[in-house]
Amino acid sequence: MHEMSLVEALLDSLLPLCAENKWEKVDRIHLRIGSLRQVIPEALVFCFQTASSGTPLAEAAVEITEIGIRQKCDQCGLEWGGEIPLGRCPGCGSIEVATTAGFELEIDSLEVFENGNEAG
Amino acid sequence: MATKRVSLIQSVMAADERYAARIRSVMKERGILLLNLIGSPGAGKTTLLEETLKRCRFSAAVIEGDVATARDAERIAAFGVPVIQINTKGGCHLEANLVLRAFESLQFDKLDVLFIENVGNLVCPAEFDLGEDMKIAVCSTAEGADKPLKYPHLFHTCSAVVLTKKDLLPYIRFDRELFWKDVESLNAKAAKFEIDNLSGDGIDAWLNTVETWLKQKRETQRA
């Protein structure tokens, strides 16, 4: 259960940004989370609702896009995806494989209510 | 009221990543190897450290992460090495800012290897970068052979897997072949060790590898 730590980190990033840009209310937060990240979306949303209370983020909807695992062989260049990451290239058997997607933990974008002239 | 979309594309863990980078630069500057030991409660992480400290030729220090008590730190202190206990008070993992704070009371002089024993847990500690050179997965035979596939993040990202409590094999059902096959399928590069905690059998191979990593780190630093 490390979702609360993630939410705290999320608030630490976003609240100063809200203050800086004078965003009084955020409508939606789009996150990109890799499937290897072991994040439970419901737990993240629950923690977010609790921790964001009283802030400009309080009523924001959290939208999570799950990013599947992608891997690439550094030897033969083969690329593949799957449920479980592999330590060996399924094509040439090389162990020089890189996991290129699946570990994301990113804030993609925000949808904020525009505040008249202060938008920007 | 109209809304507008603001593109950010930044890491949720940006602050944490900065702390981890600071730790990495302190370790690099001083040529200290930092190993982050991760495993379930009772996997044998502290025992592995005890057996390591009993025999190692390098100078070591330990940061202990636990929800409560200083029991692990007391066990480590018996070996006369610097040890700092972090109590997370419910937190299921260590974070880089806690490690950085522990640095304030740590003596770095003449230190070769710094071990961090993370909070006992196979899930969350794997998620948080502590600025380590390597994550070490510690798993005991008593936990069952299915752990690598059930917790793929840790076993995919670690640099070594230490299977502890080898001495229990005659008494329990543990499919050793399956365990190593699954580790290999997730992470063919990981160094692999089997250790008998009671006799210390297998600990030498582990110690030699740690020494090699230390040497490699210092060589790259000089290069």
Side-chain angles (χ1 to χ4, degrees):
Chain A
M1 232 317 262
H2 52 285
E3 283 77 4
M4 194 46 123
S5 296
L6 299 184
V7 164
E8 282 169 3
L10 187 62
L11 296 184
D12 285 346
S13 302
L14 293 183
L15 290 177
L17 209 61
C18 289
E20 205 177 294
N21 292 285
K22 300 195 171 70
W23 296 329
E24 284 166 17
K25 204 168 167 211
V26 174
D27 185 36
R28 215 165 276 273
I29 302 171
H30 295 271
L31 302 178
R32 284 162 43 88
I33 299 184
S35 59
L36 278 165
R37 277 297 182 165
Q38 312 179 103
V39 172
I40 305 164
E42 294 79 9
L44 187 104
V45 169
F46 173 75
C47 292
F48 180 82
Q49 286 167 347
T50 311
S52 65
S53 140
T55 75
L57 300 167
E59 283 164 50
V62 180
E63 302 233 326
I64 299 172
T65 305
E66 190 179 314
I67 312 293
I69 300 172
R70 292 296 302 169
Q71 292 186 278
K72 188 177 181 203
C73 175
D74 290 341
Q75 289 293 328
C76 72
L78 183 72
E79 288 188 55
W80 68 94
E83 297 268 297
I84 295 267
L86 302 179
R88 219 173 257 281
C89 171
C92 72
S94 165
I95 63 170
E96 298 305 325
V97 297
T99 304
T100 52
F103 284 111
E104 293 76 3
L105 207 54
E106 288 170 5
I107 311 167
D108 177 76
S109 57
L110 298 181
E111 286 176 44
V112 298
F113 287 104
E114 298 200 76
N115 270 346
N117 298 335
E118 289 166 0
Chain B
M1 216 185 329
T3 63
K4 62 167 178 174
R5 191 160 175 150
V6 185
S7 177
L8 291 175
I9 315 181
Q10 67 179 53
S11 169
V12 173
M13 308 299 293
D16 225 57
E17 284 161 11
R18 279 196 295 274
Y19 291 128
R22 269 233 326 264
I23 293 173
R24 223 162 246 130
S25 94
V26 172
M27 295 292 101
K28 192 179 171 198
E29 198 179 294
R30 294 175 180 268
I32 299 168
L33 179 73
L34 181 57
L35 301 180
N36 181 3
L37 270 56
I38 300 174
S40 314
K45 297 181 293 300
T46 316
T47 307
L48 173 65
L49 283 175
E50 287 176 317
E51 295 304 314
T52 301
L53 297 172
K54 221 185 260 178
R55 297 170 174 83
C56 67
R57 291 178 292 263
F58 47 79
S59 74
V62 178
I63 294 176
E64 281 289 345
D66 277 297
V67 169
T69 82
R71 290 209 172 162
D72 282 358
E74 287 159 13
R75 282 171 63 183
I76 297 300
F79 294 88
V81 302
V83 55
I84 290 167
Q85 177 80 53
I86 300 174
N87 281 145
T88 58
K89 299 192 174 74
C92 52
H93 58 274
L94 288 178
E95 292 182 19
N97 64 325
L98 296 174
V99 173
L100 213 50
R101 215 179 303 153
F103 277 12
E104 289 165 16
S105 28
L106 199 64
Q107 283 294 332
F108 288 110
D109 296 342
K110 292 183 190 142
L111 189 59
D112 296 318
V113 183
L114 175 58
F115 292 98
I116 296 176
E117 181 183 339
N118 220 308
V119 179
N121 181 342
L122 276 174
V123 184
C124 313
E127 297 286 337
F128 293 84
D129 184 5
L130 302 184
E132 70 275 332
D133 291 292
M134 286 153 190
K135 286 186 170 75
I136 313 294
V138 182
C139 187
S140 70
T141 54
E143 288 165 63
D146 53 3
K147 293 303 164 290
L149 281 190
K150 282 188 175 175
Y151 301 93
H153 183 144
L154 173 63
F155 288 90
H156 180 60
T157 55
C158 68
S159 300
V161 177
V162 182
L163 180 65
T164 60
K165 307 189 191 180
K166 192 173 77 167
D167 44 308
L168 291 181
L169 282 174
Y171 312 105
I172 56 174
R173 251 187 256 164
F174 178 82
D175 191 336
R176 191 185 201 166
E177 216 170 290
L178 178 74
F179 178 84
W180 288 118
K181 194 178 127 247
D182 288 346
V183 168
E184 175 78 16
S185 80
L186 288 165
N187 188 342
K189 274 186 180 172
K192 299 168 183 76
F193 304 95
E194 286 189 359
I195 286 169
D196 175 342
N197 300 49
L198 293 180
S199 71
D201 182 34
I203 200 90
D204 287 339
W206 155 252
L207 280 175
N208 289 339
T209 303
V210 174
E211 280 175 19
T212 307
W213 288 336
L214 175 64
K215 218 171 105 195
Q216 283 167 351
K217 177 159 190 179
R218 293 196 170 157
E219 273 164 12
T220 25
Q221 194 185 5
R222 270 194 295 269

